[in-house]
Amino acid sequence: MHDVLRHDKAYGRCVPKLWKDTVEEHRRDVRAAILDAAWRLAHERGIRGVTMGLVAQHAGISRATLYKYFSGVEEILVASHAEHVQEHLATLREAHSSAGTPREGLERLIDHYAEICFHRGRAGAPDTSALVHAGEQHQRNTTELERLFIDAVLAAQAAGEVRADIAAKLLATYILHAAEGAGSVGSRGEAAGLATLAKECLGSASGSTGPTTRH
Amino acid sequence: MHDVLRHDKAYGRCVPKLWKDTVEEHRRDVRAAILDAAWRLAHERGIRGVTMGLVAQHAGISRATLYKYFSGVEEILVASHAEHVQEHLATLREAHSSAGTPREGLERLIDHYAEICFHRGRAGAPDTSALVHAGEQHQRNTTELERLFIDAVLAAQAAGEVRADIAAKLLATYILHAAEGAGSVGSRGEAAGLATLAKECLGSASGSTGPTTRH
DNA sequence: CGTTTACTAGACACTCTGTCTCTAGCACTA
DNA sequence: TAGTGCTAGAGACAGAGTGTCTAGTAAACG
């Protein structure tokens, strides 16, 4: 956890416990430690049970220092949530772009997202999305996720590999939420089943039965 | 708001502001006022912004009294959420049972639920489901909702009006979440579109093929 | 080598939380 | 109609959390 521990004098230990070569790097690390601590605490004690003191303690810094990074618990939780979403987004983007056809990319997106939701559900991850007042930041992340799906649907529609009788935005929203169902399911198999159902709804090209055999 | 206002003596006003004929009735009213106040506050200030003091103040009672009804903010929010869910459940049950065929009942269920989610989304209703630690109570409500959908699916499957190649539980979960997408959509028309998509996935009778293109 | 940055501990003035005590009025019984 | 128990209610208090500030130290930066 901590790289170097310099001395404890009477008044304050002035180089923090965890310290990397550069200031910037160090700040990144501390920030990460804070977000991680907050996430864990939210998981253990519920969103309302997270306090600045606890976060500071778990992150290995003083409360005063914590206020130099974030102005309150709310902000920390939102940042923490955003971080996780970003991680997932990266995975998803990769899954999508590594596919052959647009349709295949979209299907992979669905599979991966269902998987993510399944794990999130199992882990009982704190539902930080309910920080109603975090509004903005969260909204942006949500939109980013939606954007990803919408673009994937659009591409697949353009390629004639997905039904075009439904607006891409609507179809994307539909799929996204359907896949989210994987979060409240008991087994990985069921999660996969949901993903399959969602994929089924993409229909075949433009009415004709199958543009193909990608099995 | 208050029905009768009796006198303010030196020590405490011992008959509360709002008072109905019987104690029982009174307690019901106070409880409702508390839940309502908490809901409103959660809406305005976010889940973490709700305090016992504020709830008491908005409900027109003292903080100490509030503790005689609920042991903490968490509990109030959970109860409040449960109340809302129960309301919706009642509506949904009615919608379901007033239909002719099982399939029709299921479809109505989907339509109504999408509608509910749409309104909830528009109103920016507090996402109390994230009270991670509220666990039990909320879980039970969720299950009740799921139960409703599962039973509806089962009935429709038994009548041969809905595809039977997917386990009822899974199909119900799928539909439920898909309909929930209506919560993050902009217009009522889109919400209806989502419902339609969800219904489409029910397939035809003993559906072995996909939702679309069943000519 | 001087300046900037990062941090700590302690303190203060709040607010929120649980809990406890005491009062006054409803709701039964006689 | 009077007496008595039950309990809703207010106020007070100690303990915890919050947000801010100051004084002080030491490493990193340029």
Side-chain angles (χ1 to χ4, degrees):
Chain A
M1 267 316 191
H2 54 293
D3 305 350
V4 183
L5 174 54
R6 329 244 163 146
H7 48 269
D8 277 22
K9 267 268 182 82
Y11 214 91
R13 204 204 315 52
C14 296
V15 167
K17 278 185 200 160
L18 43 138
W19 187 263
K20 281 282 173 56
D21 295 331
T22 77
V23 172
E24 218 166 308
E25 238 181 306
H26 163 71
R27 278 192 73 90
R28 246 196 319 109
D29 283 6
V30 172
R31 197 186 134 95
I34 292 170
L35 297 187
D36 184 64
W39 190 255
R40 243 185 265 279
L41 284 167
H43 189 350
E44 284 166 19
R45 318 173 44 124
I47 287 179
R48 290 186 52 93
V50 183
T51 71
M52 290 298 268
L54 275 169
V55 173
Q57 194 182 311
H58 280 71
I61 58 176
S62 81
R63 209 164 56 85
T65 301
L66 181 52
Y67 276 102
K68 296 207 168 154
Y69 283 81
F70 295 97
S71 71
V73 175
E74 197 99 5
E75 200 182 307
I76 300 178
L77 289 174
V78 171
S80 182
H81 179 253
E83 198 97 330
H84 281 247
V85 172
Q86 285 302 332
E87 258 172 57
H88 294 155
L89 273 172
T91 312
L92 290 171
R93 271 195 251 270
E94 212 248 296
H96 180 244
S97 64
S98 74
T101 68
R103 167 82 181 219
E104 209 177 296
L106 181 53
E107 295 197 351
R108 283 203 194 174
L109 218 47
I110 293 171
D111 286 332
H112 275 73
Y113 190 58
E115 186 91 356
I116 287 172
C117 290
F118 174 63
H119 281 117
R120 194 165 53 192
R122 296 239 94 188
D127 227 340
T128 345
S129 42
L131 290 173
V132 182
H133 272 189
E136 299 145 63
Q137 182 71 17
H138 168 249
Q139 202 106 47
R140 236 189 41 213
N141 284 319
T142 291
T143 305
E144 243 176 297
L145 188 59
E146 271 176 12
R147 196 71 254 163
L148 181 60
F149 270 79
I150 292 173
D151 288 343
V153 170
L154 274 172
Q157 282 181 332
E161 295 171 352
V162 157
R163 63 193 294 183
D165 60 331
I166 307 281
K169 186 175 176 307
L170 202 59
L171 196 50
T173 303
Y174 177 80
I175 290 169
L176 200 60
H177 282 87
E180 252 158 36
S184 56
V185 106
S187 74
R188 189 177 225 147
E190 289 175 302
L194 284 182
T196 303
L197 267 171
K199 287 183 283 186
E200 220 177 68
C201 282
L202 297 175
S204 35
S206 38
S208 80
T209 29
T212 78
T213 59
R214 47 220 156 260
H215 299 331
Chain B
M1 261 323 188
H2 52 292
D3 304 350
V4 183
L5 174 54
R6 327 242 165 147
H7 46 272
D8 278 21
K9 267 267 181 83
Y11 214 92
R13 207 201 316 47
C14 294
V15 166
K17 278 185 201 161
L18 41 141
W19 189 260
K20 283 282 173 54
D21 296 330
T22 77
V23 172
E24 219 166 307
E25 235 181 307
H26 163 71
R27 278 192 70 89
R28 246 196 322 106
D29 283 7
V30 172
R31 197 187 134 93
I34 292 169
L35 296 186
D36 184 63
W39 191 254
R40 241 185 266 279
L41 284 167
H43 189 350
E44 284 167 20
R45 318 175 41 124
I47 287 179
R48 288 186 51 92
V50 183
T51 71
M52 291 297 269
L54 275 169
V55 172
Q57 193 182 312
H58 280 71
I61 59 177
S62 82
R63 212 162 53 82
T65 301
L66 180 53
Y67 276 100
K68 297 207 167 155
Y69 283 82
F70 295 96
S71 71
V73 175
E74 198 98 4
E75 200 181 307
I76 301 178
L77 289 175
V78 172
S80 183
H81 179 251
E83 198 98 329
H84 280 247
V85 172
Q86 286 301 334
E87 258 172 56
H88 294 155
L89 272 171
T91 313
L92 290 171
R93 273 194 249 271
E94 212 248 295
H96 180 244
S97 63
S98 73
T101 68
R103 166 82 181 219
E104 207 177 298
L106 183 52
E107 295 197 350
R108 283 202 195 176
L109 218 47
I110 294 170
D111 287 332
H112 275 74
Y113 189 58
E115 186 90 358
I116 287 172
C117 290
F118 174 64
H119 282 116
R120 193 164 56 190
R122 297 238 91 188
D127 224 342
T128 344
S129 42
L131 290 173
V132 181
H133 274 188
E136 298 144 65
Q137 182 71 18
H138 167 249
Q139 203 107 47
R140 237 188 42 215
N141 283 321
T142 290
T143 305
E144 241 176 299
L145 188 59
E146 271 176 11
R147 195 73 254 160
L148 182 59
F149 271 78
I150 293 173
D151 288 343
V153 170
L154 274 171
Q157 282 181 332
E161 295 171 351
V162 157
R163 62 192 296 182
D165 60 331
I166 307 281
K169 188 176 175 302
L170 202 59
L171 196 51
T173 304
Y174 177 81
I175 289 168
L176 201 58
H177 283 86
E180 251 158 38
S184 55
V185 108
S187 75
R188 190 176 225 147
E190 289 174 302
L194 284 181
T196 303
L197 267 171
K199 286 182 284 186
E200 222 177 67
C201 282
L202 297 175
S204 43
S206 48
S208 43
T209 32
T212 39
T213 60
R214 38 178 188 279
H215 343 302

